[in-house]
Coordinates of all heavy atoms in Angstrom, one line a residue:
M1 N 0.9 -1.2 0.0 CA 0.0 0.0 0.0 C 0.9 1.2 0.0 O 1.9 1.3 0.7 CB -0.9 0.0 1.2 CG -2.0 1.0 1.2 SD -3.3 0.7 2.4 CE -4.4 -0.4 1.5
E2 N 0.5 2.2 -0.8 CA 1.3 3.4 -0.9 C 0.6 4.6 -0.2 O -0.6 4.8 -0.4 CB 1.5 3.8 -2.4 CG 2.4 4.9 -2.7 CD 2.6 5.2 -4.2 OE1 2.3 4.3 -5.0 OE2 3.1 6.3 -4.5
I3 N 1.4 5.4 0.5 CA 0.8 6.5 1.2 C 0.9 7.8 0.3 O 1.9 8.1 -0.3 CB 1.7 6.8 2.5 CG1 1.6 5.6 3.4 CG2 1.2 8.1 3.2 CD1 2.6 5.7 4.6
K4 N -0.3 8.5 0.2 CA -0.4 9.7 -0.5 C -0.9 10.8 0.4 O -1.9 10.6 1.1 CB -1.3 9.5 -1.7 CG -1.0 8.5 -2.7 CD -0.2 9.1 -3.8 CE 0.0 8.0 -4.9 NZ 0.7 8.6 -6.0
W5 N -0.3 11.9 0.4 CA -0.7 13.1 1.2 C -1.4 14.0 0.3 O -0.9 14.4 -0.7 CB 0.5 13.8 1.8 CG 1.2 12.9 2.9 CD1 2.1 11.9 2.6 CD2 1.0 13.0 4.3 NE1 2.5 11.4 3.8 CE2 1.9 12.0 4.8 CE3 0.3 13.8 5.1 CZ2 1.9 11.8 6.2 CZ3 0.4 13.6 6.5 CH2 1.2 12.6 7.0
T6 N -2.6 14.4 0.7 CA -3.4 15.4 -0.1 C -2.8 16.8 0.2 O -2.1 17.0 1.2 CB -4.9 15.4 0.3 OG1 -5.0 15.8 1.7 CG2 -5.5 14.0 0.1
E7 N -3.1 17.8 -0.7 CA -2.7 19.1 -0.5 C -3.2 19.7 0.9 O -2.5 20.4 1.6 CB -3.2 20.0 -1.6 CG -2.4 19.8 -2.9 CD -2.8 20.8 -4.0 OE1 -3.1 22.0 -3.7 OE2 -2.8 20.4 -5.1
K8 N -4.5 19.3 1.2 CA -5.1 19.8 2.5 C -4.3 19.2 3.7 O -4.1 20.0 4.7 CB -6.5 19.5 2.5 CG -7.4 20.3 1.6 CD -8.8 20.1 1.8 CE -9.6 21.0 0.9 NZ -11.1 20.8 1.0
S9 N -3.9 18.0 3.6 CA -3.2 17.4 4.7 C -1.8 18.0 4.9 O -1.4 18.2 6.0 CB -3.1 15.9 4.6 OG -2.3 15.5 3.5
L10 N -1.2 18.3 3.8 CA 0.1 19.0 3.9 C 0.0 20.4 4.4 O 0.8 20.9 5.2 CB 0.8 19.0 2.5 CG 1.2 17.6 2.0 CD1 1.7 17.7 0.6 CD2 2.3 16.9 2.9
S11 N -1.1 21.0 4.0 CA -1.4 22.4 4.5 C -1.7 22.3 6.0 O -1.2 23.2 6.8 CB -2.6 23.0 3.8 OG -3.0 24.2 4.3
D12 N -2.4 21.3 6.5 CA -2.6 21.1 7.9 C -1.3 20.9 8.7 O -1.2 21.5 9.7 CB -3.5 19.9 8.1 CG -5.0 20.0 7.7 OD1 -5.4 21.2 7.6 OD2 -5.6 19.0 7.4
L13 N -0.4 20.1 8.1 CA 0.9 20.0 8.8 C 1.6 21.3 8.9 O 2.2 21.6 10.0 CB 1.8 19.0 8.0 CG 1.4 17.5 8.1 CD1 2.3 16.7 7.2 CD2 1.5 17.0 9.6
S14 N 1.6 22.1 7.9 CA 2.3 23.4 7.9 C 1.6 24.3 8.9 O 2.3 25.0 9.7 CB 2.2 24.0 6.5 OG 3.0 23.3 5.6
R15 N 0.3 24.3 8.9 CA -0.4 25.2 9.9 C -0.1 24.8 11.3 O 0.2 25.6 12.2 CB -1.9 25.1 9.6 CG -2.8 25.8 10.5 CD -4.3 25.6 10.2 NE -4.7 24.2 10.2 CZ -5.0 23.5 11.2 NH1 -5.0 24.1 12.4 NH2 -5.4 22.3 11.1
L16 N -0.1 23.5 11.6 CA 0.1 23.0 12.9 C 1.6 23.3 13.4 O 1.8 23.7 14.5 CB -0.2 21.5 13.0 CG -1.6 21.1 12.9 CD1 -1.8 19.6 12.7 CD2 -2.4 21.6 14.1
Y17 N 2.5 23.1 12.4 CA 3.9 23.4 12.8 C 4.1 24.9 13.1 O 4.7 25.2 14.1 CB 4.8 23.0 11.6 CG 6.3 23.3 11.9 CD1 7.0 22.5 12.7 CD2 6.8 24.5 11.5 CE1 8.3 22.8 13.1 CE2 8.1 24.9 11.9 CZ 8.9 24.0 12.6 OH 10.1 24.3 13.0
A18 N 3.5 25.7 12.3 CA 3.7 27.2 12.5 C 3.1 27.6 13.8 O 3.7 28.4 14.6 CB 3.0 27.9 11.4
F19 N 1.9 27.0 14.2 CA 1.3 27.3 15.5 C 2.1 26.9 16.6 O 2.4 27.7 17.6 CB -0.1 26.7 15.5 CG -0.8 26.9 16.8 CD1 -1.4 28.1 17.1 CD2 -0.8 25.9 17.8 CE1 -2.1 28.3 18.3 CE2 -1.4 26.1 19.0 CZ -2.1 27.3 19.3
L20 N 2.6 25.6 16.6 CA 3.4 25.1 17.7 C 4.8 25.7 17.7 O 5.3 26.0 18.8 CB 3.6 23.6 17.5 CG 2.3 22.8 17.7 CD1 2.5 21.3 17.3 CD2 1.8 22.9 19.1
A21 N 5.4 26.0 16.6 CA 6.8 26.6 16.6 C 6.8 27.9 17.2 O 7.9 28.3 17.7 CB 7.3 26.6 15.1
S22 N 5.8 28.7 17.1 CA 5.8 30.0 17.7 C 6.0 30.0 19.2 O 6.4 30.9 19.9 CB 4.5 30.8 17.4 OG 3.4 30.2 18.0
V23 N 5.7 28.8 19.8 CA 5.8 28.6 21.3 C 7.0 27.7 21.6 O 7.8 28.0 22.5 CB 4.5 27.9 21.9 CG1 4.7 27.7 23.3 CG2 3.3 28.8 21.6
N24 N 7.2 26.6 20.8 CA 8.3 25.7 21.1 C 8.7 24.9 19.8 O 7.9 24.0 19.4 CB 7.8 24.7 22.2 CG 8.9 23.7 22.6 OD1 9.8 23.4 21.9 ND2 8.8 23.3 23.9
K25 N 9.8 25.3 19.2 CA 10.2 24.7 17.9 C 10.5 23.2 18.1 O 10.2 22.4 17.2 CB 11.4 25.4 17.3 CG 11.0 26.8 16.8 CD 12.2 27.4 16.1 CE 11.7 28.7 15.5 NZ 12.7 29.4 14.7
Q26 N 11.0 22.8 19.2 CA 11.3 21.3 19.4 C 10.1 20.5 19.5 O 9.9 19.5 18.9 CB 12.2 21.1 20.6 CG 12.6 19.7 20.8 CD 13.3 19.1 19.6 OE1 14.2 19.7 19.0 NE2 12.9 17.9 19.2
A27 N 9.1 21.0 20.2 CA 7.8 20.4 20.3 C 7.1 20.3 19.0 O 6.5 19.3 18.6 CB 6.9 21.0 21.3
A28 N 7.2 21.4 18.2 CA 6.6 21.4 16.9 C 7.2 20.3 16.0 O 6.5 19.6 15.3 CB 6.8 22.8 16.2
A29 N 8.5 20.2 16.0 CA 9.2 19.2 15.2 C 8.9 17.8 15.6 O 8.6 17.0 14.7 CB 10.7 19.5 15.2
T30 N 8.8 17.6 16.9 CA 8.5 16.3 17.4 C 7.0 15.9 17.0 O 6.8 14.7 16.6 CB 8.6 16.2 18.9 OG1 10.0 16.5 19.2 CG2 8.3 14.9 19.5
T31 N 6.1 16.8 17.1 CA 4.7 16.6 16.8 C 4.6 16.2 15.3 O 3.9 15.3 14.9 CB 3.9 17.8 17.1 OG1 3.9 18.0 18.5 CG2 2.4 17.6 16.7
I32 N 5.2 17.0 14.4 CA 5.1 16.8 13.0 C 5.8 15.4 12.6 O 5.2 14.7 11.8 CB 5.8 17.9 12.2 CG1 5.0 19.2 12.5 CG2 5.8 17.6 10.7 CD1 3.5 19.2 12.2
Q33 N 6.9 15.1 13.3 CA 7.5 13.8 13.0 C 6.5 12.6 13.4 O 6.4 11.6 12.7 CB 8.8 13.6 13.8 CG 9.9 14.4 13.2 CD 11.2 14.4 14.1 OE1 11.1 14.0 15.3 NE2 12.2 15.0 13.6
S34 N 5.8 12.8 14.5 CA 4.9 11.8 15.0 C 3.7 11.6 14.0 O 3.3 10.5 13.6 CB 4.3 12.1 16.3 OG 5.3 12.0 17.3
L35 N 3.2 12.8 13.5 CA 2.1 12.8 12.6 C 2.5 12.2 11.2 O 1.7 11.4 10.6 CB 1.5 14.2 12.4 CG 0.8 14.7 13.6 CD1 0.5 16.2 13.5 CD2 -0.4 14.0 13.9
T36 N 3.7 12.5 10.8 CA 4.1 11.9 9.5 C 4.5 10.5 9.5 O 4.4 9.8 8.5 CB 5.3 12.8 8.8 OG1 6.4 12.8 9.7 CG2 4.8 14.2 8.5
A37 N 4.9 10.0 10.7 CA 5.2 8.6 10.9 C 4.0 7.7 11.1 O 4.0 6.5 10.8 CB 6.1 8.4 12.1
A38 N 2.9 8.3 11.6 CA 1.7 7.5 11.9 C 1.2 6.6 10.7 O 0.9 5.5 10.9 CB 0.6 8.4 12.4
P39 N 1.0 7.2 9.5 CA 0.6 6.3 8.4 C 1.5 5.1 8.1 O 1.0 4.0 7.8 CB 0.5 7.3 7.2 CG 0.4 8.6 7.8 CD 1.2 8.6 9.1
K40 N 2.8 5.3 8.3 CA 3.7 4.2 8.1 C 3.5 3.1 9.1 O 3.7 1.9 8.8 CB 5.2 4.7 8.2 CG 5.5 5.7 7.1 CD 6.9 6.3 7.4 CE 7.1 7.5 6.4 NZ 8.2 8.3 6.8
K41 N 3.0 3.4 10.3 CA 2.8 2.4 11.3 C 1.4 1.7 11.1 O 1.3 0.5 11.4 CB 2.8 3.1 12.7 CG 4.1 3.6 13.1 CD 4.0 4.3 14.4 CE 5.4 4.9 14.8 NZ 5.3 5.7 16.1
V42 N 0.5 2.4 10.5 CA -0.9 1.9 10.3 C -1.0 1.2 9.0 O -2.0 0.4 8.8 CB -1.9 3.0 10.5 CG1 -3.3 2.5 10.3 CG2 -1.8 3.6 11.9
I43 N -0.2 1.4 8.0 CA -0.3 1.0 6.7 C -0.5 -0.5 6.6 O -1.1 -1.0 5.7 CB 0.8 1.5 5.8 CG1 0.4 1.5 4.3 CG2 2.1 0.7 6.0 CD1 1.3 2.2 3.4
H44 N 0.1 -1.3 7.5 CA 0.0 -2.7 7.5 C -1.4 -3.2 8.0 O -1.8 -4.4 7.9 CB 1.1 -3.4 8.2 CG 2.4 -3.0 7.6 ND1 2.8 -3.5 6.3 CD2 3.5 -2.2 8.0 CE1 4.0 -3.0 6.0 NE2 4.4 -2.2 7.0
Q45 N -2.1 -2.3 8.8 CA -3.4 -2.6 9.3 C -4.3 -1.4 9.0 O -4.7 -0.7 10.0 CB -3.4 -2.9 10.8 CG -2.6 -4.1 11.1 CD -2.6 -4.3 12.6 OE1 -2.6 -3.4 13.4 NE2 -2.5 -5.6 13.0
P46 N -4.5 -1.0 7.8 CA -5.2 0.3 7.4 C -6.6 0.4 7.9 O -7.1 1.5 8.1 CB -5.1 0.3 5.9 CG -5.0 -1.1 5.5 CD -4.2 -1.8 6.6
R47 N -7.2 -0.7 8.2 CA -8.6 -0.7 8.7 C -8.6 -0.6 10.3 O -9.7 -0.8 10.9 CB -9.4 -1.8 8.2 CG -9.6 -1.7 6.7 CD -10.3 -2.9 6.0 NE -10.6 -2.6 4.7 CZ -9.7 -2.6 3.7 NH1 -8.5 -3.0 3.9 NH2 -10.0 -2.3 2.4
L48 N -7.5 -0.3 10.9 CA -7.4 -0.1 12.3 C -8.2 1.1 12.8 O -8.9 1.1 13.9 CB -6.0 0.0 12.7 CG -5.7 0.1 14.2 CD1 -6.0 -1.2 14.9 CD2 -4.2 0.4 14.4
G49 N -8.2 2.2 12.0 CA -8.9 3.4 12.4 C -10.4 3.2 12.4 O -11.0 2.3 11.7
E50 N -11.1 4.0 13.1 CA -12.6 4.0 13.2 C -13.2 4.4 11.8 O -12.8 5.5 11.3 CB -13.1 4.9 14.3 CG -14.6 5.1 14.3 CD -15.0 6.2 15.3 OE1 -14.2 6.8 16.0 OE2 -16.2 6.5 15.3
K51 N -14.1 3.6 11.3 CA -14.7 3.9 10.0 C -15.8 5.0 10.2 O -16.6 4.9 11.2 CB -15.3 2.7 9.4 CG -15.8 2.9 8.0 CD -16.3 1.6 7.3 CE -16.7 1.9 5.9 NZ -17.2 0.7 5.2
L52 N -15.8 6.0 9.3 CA -16.7 7.1 9.4 C -17.9 6.8 8.4 O -17.7 7.0 7.2 CB -16.0 8.4 9.2 CG -14.9 8.7 10.2 CD1 -14.1 9.9 9.7 CD2 -15.4 8.8 11.6
E53 N -19.0 6.4 8.9 CA -20.1 6.0 8.1 C -20.7 7.1 7.2 O -21.2 6.8 6.1 CB -21.2 5.4 9.0 CG -20.8 4.2 9.8 CD -20.4 3.0 9.0 OE1 -20.9 2.8 7.9 OE2 -19.6 2.2 9.6
E54 N -20.5 8.4 7.6 CA -21.1 9.5 6.9 C -20.4 9.6 5.5 O -20.9 10.4 4.7 CB -21.0 10.8 7.6 CG -19.6 11.3 8.0 CD -19.2 10.9 9.4 OE1 -19.6 9.9 9.9 OE2 -18.3 11.7 9.9
Y55 N -19.3 9.0 5.3 CA -18.6 9.1 4.0 C -18.9 7.9 3.0 O -18.3 7.8 2.0 CB -17.1 9.2 4.2 CG -16.7 10.4 4.8 CD1 -16.5 10.5 6.2 CD2 -16.5 11.6 4.1 CE1 -16.1 11.7 6.8 CE2 -16.1 12.8 4.7 CZ -15.9 12.8 6.1 OH -15.6 14.0 6.7
E56 N -19.8 7.0 3.4 CA -20.1 5.8 2.6 C -20.5 6.3 1.2 O -21.2 7.4 1.1 CB -21.3 5.1 3.2 CG -21.0 4.3 4.4 CD -20.2 3.0 4.1 OE1 -20.2 2.6 3.0 OE2 -19.6 2.5 5.0
P57 N -20.1 5.7 0.2 CA -19.5 4.4 0.1 C -18.0 4.5 0.1 O -17.3 3.4 0.1 CB -19.9 3.9 -1.3 CG -20.0 5.1 -2.1 CD -20.5 6.2 -1.2
R58 N -17.4 5.7 0.3 CA -15.9 5.8 0.5 C -15.5 5.2 1.8 O -16.3 5.1 2.7 CB -15.5 7.3 0.4 CG -15.8 7.9 -0.9 CD -15.6 9.4 -0.9 NE -14.3 9.8 -0.3 CZ -14.0 11.0 0.1 NH1 -15.0 11.9 0.2 NH2 -12.8 11.3 0.6
E59 N -14.3 4.7 1.9 CA -13.8 4.1 3.1 C -12.9 5.1 3.8 O -11.7 5.1 3.7 CB -13.0 2.8 2.8 CG -12.7 2.1 4.1 CD -12.3 0.7 3.9 OE1 -12.3 0.1 2.8 OE2 -11.8 0.1 4.9
V60 N -13.5 6.1 4.5 CA -12.8 7.1 5.2 C -12.8 6.7 6.7 O -13.8 6.3 7.2 CB -13.5 8.5 5.0 CG1 -12.8 9.5 5.9 CG2 -13.4 8.9 3.5
R61 N -11.6 6.8 7.3 CA -11.4 6.4 8.7 C -10.7 7.5 9.4 O -10.1 8.4 8.9 CB -10.6 5.1 8.7 CG -11.4 4.0 8.1 CD -10.5 2.7 8.1 NE -11.3 1.6 7.6 CZ -12.0 0.8 8.4 NH1 -12.0 0.9 9.7 NH2 -12.8 -0.2 7.9
R62 N -10.8 7.4 10.8 CA -10.1 8.4 11.6 C -9.2 7.6 12.5 O -9.5 6.6 13.0 CB -11.0 9.3 12.4 CG -11.7 8.6 13.5 CD -12.7 9.6 14.2 NE -12.7 9.2 15.6 CZ -12.6 10.0 16.6 NH1 -12.5 11.3 16.4 NH2 -12.6 9.6 17.8
L63 N -8.0 8.3 12.8 CA -7.0 7.7 13.7 C -6.6 8.8 14.6 O -6.3 9.9 14.2 CB -5.8 7.2 12.8 CG -4.6 6.6 13.6 CD1 -5.0 5.3 14.2 CD2 -3.5 6.5 12.6
L64 N -6.5 8.5 15.9 CA -6.0 9.4 16.9 C -4.5 9.2 17.0 O -4.1 8.1 17.3 CB -6.7 9.3 18.2 CG -8.2 9.7 18.2 CD1 -8.8 9.4 19.6 CD2 -8.4 11.1 17.8
V65 N -3.7 10.3 16.9 CA -2.3 10.3 17.0 C -2.0 11.3 18.1 O -1.9 12.5 17.9 CB -1.6 10.7 15.7 CG1 -0.1 10.6 15.9 CG2 -2.0 9.8 14.6
G66 N -1.9 10.8 19.3 CA -1.7 11.7 20.5 C -3.0 12.5 20.6 O -4.1 12.0 20.7
H67 N -2.9 13.8 20.6 CA -4.0 14.8 20.7 C -4.5 15.2 19.3 O -5.2 16.3 19.2 CB -3.7 16.0 21.5 CG -3.4 15.6 23.0 ND1 -4.4 15.2 23.8 CD2 -2.2 15.6 23.7 CE1 -3.8 14.9 25.0 NE2 -2.5 15.1 24.9
Y68 N -4.1 14.5 18.3 CA -4.4 14.9 16.9 C -5.3 13.9 16.2 O -5.1 12.7 16.5 CB -3.2 15.2 16.1 CG -2.4 16.3 16.6 CD1 -1.5 16.1 17.7 CD2 -2.6 17.6 16.2 CE1 -0.8 17.2 18.2 CE2 -1.9 18.7 16.7 CZ -1.0 18.4 17.7 OH -0.3 19.5 18.3
E69 N -6.2 14.3 15.4 CA -7.1 13.4 14.6 C -6.6 13.4 13.2 O -6.4 14.5 12.6 CB -8.5 13.8 14.7 CG -9.4 12.9 13.9 CD -10.9 13.1 14.1 OE1 -11.3 13.5 15.2 OE2 -11.6 13.0 13.1
M70 N -6.4 12.3 12.6 CA -6.0 12.1 11.2 C -7.1 11.4 10.5 O -7.5 10.3 10.9 CB -4.7 11.3 11.1 CG -4.2 11.1 9.7 SD -2.6 10.1 9.7 CE -1.5 11.4 10.3
R71 N -7.6 12.0 9.5 CA -8.6 11.3 8.6 C -7.9 10.8 7.4 O -7.0 11.5 6.8 CB -9.7 12.3 8.2 CG -10.5 12.8 9.4 CD -11.9 12.4 9.3 NE -12.5 12.8 10.6 CZ -13.7 13.4 10.6 NH1 -14.3 13.7 9.5 NH2 -14.3 13.6 11.8
Y72 N -8.2 9.6 7.0 CA -7.6 9.0 5.9 C -8.6 8.1 5.1 O -9.6 7.8 5.6 CB -6.4 8.1 6.3 CG -6.6 6.9 7.1 CD1 -6.8 5.7 6.6 CD2 -6.7 7.1 8.5 CE1 -7.0 4.6 7.4 CE2 -6.9 6.0 9.3 CZ -7.1 4.7 8.8 OH -7.3 3.6 9.5
E73 N -8.2 7.9 3.9 CA -9.1 7.1 3.0 C -8.3 5.9 2.4 O -7.2 6.1 1.9 CB -9.7 8.0 1.9 CG -10.6 7.2 1.0 CD -11.3 8.1 0.0 OE1 -10.9 9.3 -0.1 OE2 -12.2 7.7 -0.7
I74 N -8.9 4.8 2.3 CA -8.3 3.6 1.7 C -9.0 3.5 0.3 O -10.2 3.4 0.3 CB -8.5 2.4 2.5 CG1 -7.9 2.5 3.9 CG2 -7.9 1.2 1.8 CD1 -8.3 1.5 4.9
E75 N -8.2 3.5 -0.7 CA -8.8 3.3 -2.1 C -7.8 2.4 -2.8 O -6.7 2.9 -3.2 CB -8.9 4.6 -2.8 CG -9.7 4.5 -4.1 CD -9.9 5.9 -4.7 OE1 -10.4 6.8 -4.0 OE2 -9.5 6.1 -5.8
G76 N -8.2 1.2 -3.1 CA -7.3 0.2 -3.8 C -6.0 0.0 -3.0 O -6.0 -0.3 -1.8
N77 N -4.9 0.3 -3.6 CA -3.6 0.1 -3.0 C -3.1 1.5 -2.4 O -1.9 1.6 -2.2 CB -2.6 -0.5 -3.9 CG -2.8 -1.9 -4.2 OD1 -3.3 -2.6 -3.3 ND2 -2.5 -2.4 -5.3
Y78 N -3.9 2.4 -2.2 CA -3.5 3.7 -1.8 C -4.1 4.1 -0.4 O -5.3 3.8 -0.1 CB -3.9 4.8 -2.8 CG -3.2 4.7 -4.1 CD1 -3.8 4.1 -5.2 CD2 -1.8 5.1 -4.2 CE1 -3.1 4.0 -6.4 CE2 -1.2 4.9 -5.4 CZ -1.8 4.4 -6.5 OH -1.1 4.2 -7.7
F79 N -3.3 4.7 0.4 CA -3.7 5.2 1.7 C -3.5 6.7 1.6 O -2.4 7.2 1.6 CB -2.7 4.6 2.8 CG -3.0 5.0 4.2 CD1 -3.5 4.1 5.1 CD2 -2.6 6.3 4.7 CE1 -3.7 4.4 6.4 CE2 -2.8 6.6 6.0 CZ -3.4 5.7 6.9
Y80 N -4.7 7.4 1.5 CA -4.7 8.9 1.3 C -4.8 9.5 2.7 O -5.8 9.3 3.4 CB -5.8 9.3 0.4 CG -5.6 8.9 -1.0 CD1 -6.3 7.8 -1.5 CD2 -4.9 9.7 -1.9 CE1 -6.1 7.4 -2.8 CE2 -4.7 9.3 -3.2 CZ -5.4 8.2 -3.7 OH -5.2 7.9 -5.0
V81 N -3.9 10.4 3.1 CA -4.1 11.2 4.3 C -4.8 12.4 3.9 O -4.4 13.2 3.0 CB -2.7 11.6 4.9 CG1 -2.9 12.4 6.2 CG2 -1.9 10.3 5.2
L82 N -6.0 12.6 4.4 CA -6.9 13.6 4.0 C -6.8 14.9 4.8 O -6.7 16.0 4.2 CB -8.4 13.1 4.1 CG -8.7 11.9 3.3 CD1 -10.2 11.4 3.6 CD2 -8.5 12.1 1.8
R83 N -6.9 14.8 6.1 CA -6.8 16.0 7.0 C -6.2 15.6 8.3 O -6.3 14.5 8.8 CB -8.3 16.6 7.2 CG -9.0 17.0 6.0 CD -8.4 18.2 5.2 NE -8.0 19.3 6.0 CZ -8.7 20.5 6.1 NH1 -9.9 20.6 5.4 NH2 -8.3 21.5 6.8
I84 N -5.7 16.6 9.0 CA -5.2 16.5 10.4 C -5.5 17.7 11.2 O -5.3 18.8 10.7 CB -3.6 16.3 10.3 CG1 -3.2 15.1 9.4 CG2 -3.1 16.1 11.7 CD1 -1.7 15.1 9.1
W85 N -5.9 17.5 12.4 CA -6.1 18.7 13.3 C -6.0 18.3 14.7 O -6.1 17.1 15.1 CB -7.5 19.4 13.0 CG -8.7 18.5 13.2 CD1 -9.3 18.2 14.4 CD2 -9.4 17.8 12.2 NE1 -10.4 17.4 14.2 CE2 -10.4 17.1 12.8 CE3 -9.2 17.7 10.8 CZ2 -11.3 16.3 12.1 CZ3 -10.1 16.9 10.1 CH2 -11.1 16.2 10.8
H86 N -5.8 19.2 15.6 CA -5.8 19.0 17.0 C -7.2 18.7 17.5 O -8.2 19.3 17.0 CB -5.2 20.2 17.8 CG -4.9 19.9 19.2 ND1 -5.8 19.8 20.2 CD2 -3.7 19.6 19.8 CE1 -5.2 19.5 21.3 NE2 -3.9 19.4 21.1
T87 N -7.4 17.8 18.4 CA -8.7 17.4 18.9 C -9.5 18.5 19.6 O -10.7 18.5 19.7 CB -8.7 16.2 19.8 OG1 -7.8 16.4 20.9 CG2 -8.2 14.9 19.0
R88 N -8.8 19.6 20.0 CA -9.4 20.7 20.7 C -9.9 21.7 19.6 O -10.7 22.6 20.0 CB -8.5 21.4 21.6 CG -8.3 20.6 22.9 CD -7.5 21.4 23.9 NE -7.4 20.7 25.2 CZ -6.8 21.2 26.2 NH1 -6.2 22.3 26.1 NH2 -6.7 20.4 27.3
E89 N -9.5 21.6 18.4 CA -10.0 22.5 17.4 C -11.5 22.1 17.1 O -11.9 21.0 17.1 CB -9.3 22.3 16.1 CG -7.9 22.9 16.1 CD -7.2 22.7 14.8 OE1 -7.5 23.5 13.9 OE2 -6.3 21.9 14.7
H90 N -12.3 23.1 16.8 CA -13.7 22.9 16.5 C -13.8 22.6 15.0 O -13.6 23.5 14.2 CB -14.5 24.1 16.8 CG -14.5 24.4 18.3 ND1 -15.2 23.7 19.2 CD2 -13.9 25.4 19.0 CE1 -15.0 24.1 20.4 NE2 -14.2 25.2 20.3
R91 N -14.1 21.3 14.7 CA -14.3 20.9 13.3 C -15.6 20.3 13.1 O -16.2 19.7 13.9 CB -13.2 19.8 13.0 CG -11.8 20.4 13.0 CD -11.5 21.0 11.7 NE -10.2 21.7 11.8 CZ -9.5 21.9 10.7 NH1 -9.9 21.6 9.5 NH2 -8.4 22.6 10.8

Protein backbone atom coordinates (compact mmCIF):
# COMPACT_ATOMS: atom_id res chain seq x y z
CA MET A 1 0.00 0.00 0.00
CA GLU A 2 1.32 3.43 -0.94
CA ILE A 3 0.84 6.54 1.21
CA LYS A 4 -0.36 9.70 -0.53
CA TRP A 5 -0.69 13.07 1.21
CA THR A 6 -3.39 15.42 -0.08
CA GLU A 7 -2.71 19.13 -0.45
CA LYS A 8 -5.05 19.82 2.46
CA SER A 9 -3.22 17.38 4.75
CA LEU A 10 0.13 18.96 3.87
CA SER A 11 -1.40 22.38 4.52
CA ASP A 12 -2.64 21.09 7.89
CA LEU A 13 0.89 19.96 8.80
CA SER A 14 2.28 23.39 7.88
CA ARG A 15 -0.41 25.17 9.89
CA LEU A 16 0.13 22.97 12.94
CA TYR A 17 3.90 23.37 12.76
CA ALA A 18 3.65 27.17 12.49
CA PHE A 19 1.27 27.34 15.45
CA LEU A 20 3.44 25.11 17.68
CA ALA A 21 6.78 26.56 16.56
CA SER A 22 5.75 30.02 17.72
CA VAL A 23 5.82 28.59 21.27
CA ASN A 24 8.29 25.68 21.10
CA LYS A 25 10.17 24.69 17.94
CA GLN A 26 11.34 21.35 19.36
CA ALA A 27 7.80 20.35 20.32
CA ALA A 28 6.60 21.40 16.87
CA ALA A 29 9.22 19.25 15.15
CA THR A 30 8.47 16.26 17.39
CA THR A 31 4.73 16.56 16.77
CA ILE A 32 5.14 16.77 12.99
CA GLN A 33 7.48 13.76 13.05
CA SER A 34 4.86 11.75 14.97
CA LEU A 35 2.11 12.76 12.58
CA THR A 36 4.11 11.94 9.46
CA ALA A 37 5.20 8.59 10.90
CA ALA A 38 1.66 7.49 11.86
CA PRO A 39 0.58 6.32 8.38
CA LYS A 40 3.73 4.19 8.08
CA LYS A 41 2.77 2.41 11.30
CA VAL A 42 -0.87 1.85 10.32
CA ILE A 43 -0.32 0.97 6.67
CA HIS A 44 -0.04 -2.75 7.47
CA GLN A 45 -3.40 -2.60 9.28
CA PRO A 46 -5.16 0.25 7.43
CA ARG A 47 -8.59 -0.66 8.74
CA LEU A 48 -7.43 -0.11 12.31
CA GLY A 49 -8.93 3.38 12.43
CA GLU A 50 -12.59 3.99 13.16
CA LYS A 51 -14.71 3.91 9.99
CA LEU A 52 -16.73 7.08 9.43
CA GLU A 53 -20.11 5.99 8.09
CA GLU A 54 -21.07 9.47 6.86
CA TYR A 55 -18.61 9.07 3.98
CA GLU A 56 -20.15 5.85 2.59
CA PRO A 57 -19.48 4.38 0.06
CA ARG A 58 -15.95 5.78 0.46
CA GLU A 59 -13.78 4.11 3.09
CA VAL A 60 -12.80 7.10 5.20
CA ARG A 61 -11.43 6.42 8.67
CA ARG A 62 -10.08 8.40 11.60
CA LEU A 63 -7.02 7.70 13.67
CA LEU A 64 -6.00 9.44 16.87
CA VAL A 65 -2.29 10.28 17.03
CA GLY A 66 -1.74 11.71 20.47
CA HIS A 67 -4.00 14.76 20.67
CA TYR A 68 -4.44 14.93 16.90
CA GLU A 69 -7.05 13.42 14.61
CA MET A 70 -5.95 12.12 11.24
CA ARG A 71 -8.58 11.35 8.62
CA TYR A 72 -7.57 8.97 5.87
CA GLU A 73 -9.11 7.07 2.99
CA ILE A 74 -8.32 3.63 1.67
CA GLU A 75 -8.76 3.29 -2.07
CA GLY A 76 -7.30 0.24 -3.75
CA ASN A 77 -3.58 0.14 -2.96
CA TYR A 78 -3.52 3.74 -1.77
CA PHE A 79 -3.67 5.18 1.73
CA TYR A 80 -4.66 8.86 1.34
CA VAL A 81 -4.05 11.16 4.31
CA LEU A 82 -6.94 13.62 3.98
CA ARG A 83 -6.84 16.00 6.97
CA ILE A 84 -5.15 16.47 10.36
CA TRP A 85 -6.12 18.69 13.28
CA HIS A 86 -5.81 18.98 17.04
CA THR A 87 -8.74 17.40 18.85
CA ARG A 88 -9.45 20.69 20.66
CA GLU A 89 -10.04 22.47 17.37
CA HIS A 90 -13.70 22.91 16.48
CA ARG A 91 -14.25 20.88 13.31
